[in-house]
Amino acid sequence: MSARLMKKTAAVAALCLLALPAMAHPGHGESVGFLAGFAHPFTGIDHLLAMLGVGLWGGQQRRGWGQPATFLGMMLLGALAGMAGLTVPGLETGIAATVALVGLAIALALALPNWLGFGLVAMFALAHGNAHGQELPAASAACGFMLASAAVLCAGRVVGQVLAERVLRLAGVALTAAGVVLMGMN
């Protein structure tokens, strides 16, 4: 690995370690429409990193669009549960843990059987969806955060297919570190 690439990777890892506390959803009480929902996934570093990580992991495995599609479907179910008032104890810590776990899967280039990989992604998505649903209980907001989430997942998947394996694994290490830091802040 070149010295320049190592410096860039170290800079990215350092930025991940400087991440603010999860507080994934500040300031959404004022607006709950489509645009608020669309902005929602981008306002919490934990959600953004987890969805990007799921996309990267799916791209790394080159197994099609199953993982991103599973994430979206299960996130919608989690959102509906959140909209209905179902709360999950320790949700924010669990969401931060999903960042660390998906980062670890990328760093190790973990190739699980489809059913197990999809099951893991489904659990991650239920947690993320539940948080989104609690914060943005309007249907228009749900449409917005689903569209934004799809865009992040697709971007991650495409990047996961084109990055060199070494760089992808380093990104996984950075995601794992960020997830551990976020867990410690909850």
Side-chain angles (χ1 to χ4, degrees):
M1 178 181 307
S2 73
R4 185 175 180 182
L5 181 59
M6 288 179 65
K7 285 180 184 178
K8 285 182 180 181
T9 303
V12 169
L15 287 174
C16 287
L17 293 174
L18 294 175
L20 296 174
M23 297 179 3
H25 316 295
H28 290 292
E30 305 86 34
S31 174
V32 292
F34 178 83
L35 290 178
F38 188 84
H40 199 64
F42 301 105
T43 61
I45 192 72
D46 50 356
H47 288 287
L48 185 61
L49 291 177
M51 287 184 284
L52 186 61
V54 167
L56 287 171
W57 189 34
Q60 181 184 42
Q61 295 181 50
R62 301 184 191 287
R63 290 189 183 173
W65 290 90
Q67 282 181 328
T70 297
F71 191 96
L72 287 173
M74 295 306 287
M75 187 174 71
L76 181 58
L77 288 178
L80 292 173
M83 290 175 184
L86 177 69
T87 59
V88 178
L91 184 62
E92 288 300 325
T93 301
I95 288 171
T98 67
V99 175
L101 290 172
V102 77
L104 189 61
I106 295 165
L108 298 174
L110 195 58
L112 299 174
N114 278 343
W115 67 270
L116 188 55
F118 286 11
L120 192 59
V121 166
M123 288 189 324
F124 293 173
L126 282 171
H128 288 268
N130 188 262
H132 287 312
Q134 289 178 40
E135 294 291 327
L136 295 169
S140 59
C143 291
F145 74 70
M146 290 296 292
L147 181 60
S149 297
V152 173
L153 286 161
C154 289
R157 187 176 186 292
V158 168
V159 170
Q161 288 184 313
V162 299
L163 279 181
E165 187 64 27
R166 267 193 208 164
V167 176
L168 195 54
R169 286 181 179 231
L170 286 171
V173 170
L175 281 171
T176 302
V180 169
V181 168
L182 289 170
M183 286 187 325
M185 295 178 149
N186 283 321

